[in-house]
Amino acid sequence: NNEKITVVASARGNSTNDLESILMKAAEKTGYKKKFEAFKEYQQIPNSSVDFSQEFSRLETIFEGVSLLGDYSQKIKDEVLAQGELLSVKLLASLLEKENISANATDARTLIITDENFGNAQPISSLSKENVIAYYKQNTEAINIVTGFISSNKKGETTTLGRNGSNYTAALLANFLDADELQNYTHVSGIYTANPDLVADAKKIEELSFSEANELANFGATILHAKSIIPLLEKNINLRILNTFNKEDKGTLITSESTTKGIKSISTINNVALLNFEGRGLLGKVGVDARIFKALSDKNINVSIISQGSSERGIGLMLWVEYNIDQVGKNFRVEGDWPGEVMGKQKDGSDKDYHLYQPHDVFKVDENGWLVYCGKDGDVLTTKYVK
Ligand code: ASP
Ligand code: MG
């Protein structure tokens, strides 16, 4: 049939985290070479004949430079991380070619133009759209396999769209090319009525609206980046969440309309505090709420849920609990996008490395104010930094 497809790929598996950790090792002069060799080997496994020399030597040069300087900028980091996606599309294209499907590895840095905010750049829509349309007009023969996540600024320097940004790239392309549907292949079969890790009989949701999905995205359903929804909403493009490891599953379809009424899903956030102001004096007083929020914003405190009844007898706010080094001996979990990472140090003080945390990993603050990992397998890391 006439169906045209384009593919957006992110870096393979743990590649982005690995690159980040090799870069840190280089900067700390703790010996990055072994890890870099392992990285290169891993990239080559699916197809030993694909030529990665360009990406590998780019990385080599940067790591060497960084290990001499002992430091790097966010701009350098973007350049390093970008290689993960570049390797990935080259590999995919080579594997398709082997199957006699013509494929065209496409470097999105020539298409998606952003501002200068390295590490979390904002695309400039008009420029990017022009580039994308022109490119797809000229490249019609083969399937374009495009790097997610990476982009460039007007000077041609590499930028990135923020971690897990590949689905944002895909949403932008879908918008610019007027796609009928965006299919997001991930490691789960879609969006569930509750977190399957916490609720045993959670069920998959067949269909959901964008506004419902957006609310869930904010509640930590990590499949969906809140930013990714906007380009799709704008053009009414359906989004389907599908499972890479289960071809039969129809996944969850997200559209601009909601079909069935009622509660779709329950999600939870951990590590929050409820702050409640109560008293008769609040009724009809103008400006009290403003003062509360002003005080919080002066201290750079973010509020996530607000509630006030018509009686005006009280106002309730939900705040994020932050890592607090005074809480010695307390157990807590690191929340946010998982798996994520904490930068850590082995307990003997040697080997600084990243520790990837999974949902429900437990940490503890020790008497020195270090964050100690006391996860399921009992290995211990100390760190002072939580991402
Ligand atoms: N490879 C990038 C990252 O891990 C982008 C992505 O996975 O979507 O953040
Ligand atoms: Mg990734």
Side-chain angles (χ1 to χ4, degrees), residues 1-5 140 180:
N1 58 14
N2 262 338
E3 211 171 50
K4 284 192 197 133
I5 63 165
T140 50
D180 292 326

Side-chain angles (χ1 to χ4, degrees), residues 252-302:
T252 297
L253 178 67
I254 306 173
T255 67
S256 55
E257 283 141 57
S258 173
T259 43
T260 45
K261 291 213 165 67
I263 297 170
K264 291 284 175 62
S265 177
I266 297 174
S267 64
T268 56
I269 325 179
N270 300 326
N271 275 3
V272 292
L274 188 63
L275 183 64
N276 198 33
F277 296 103
E278 230 178 275
R280 271 174 300 165
L282 289 170
L283 180 64
K285 282 251 163 54
V286 175
V288 177
D289 294 347
R291 272 172 57 204
I292 294 170
F293 289 108
K294 174 80 172 48
L296 290 166
S297 86
D298 285 349
K299 294 270 183 236
N300 208 13
I301 294 169
N302 185 29

Side-chain angles (χ1 to χ4, degrees), residues 10-13 15-17 81 84-85 148-149 162-167:
S10 78
R12 292 177 55 221
S15 301
T16 311
N17 287 334
L81 297 191
E85 268 69 14
F149 175 59
R163 290 305 303 270
N164 301 315
S166 288
N167 55 18

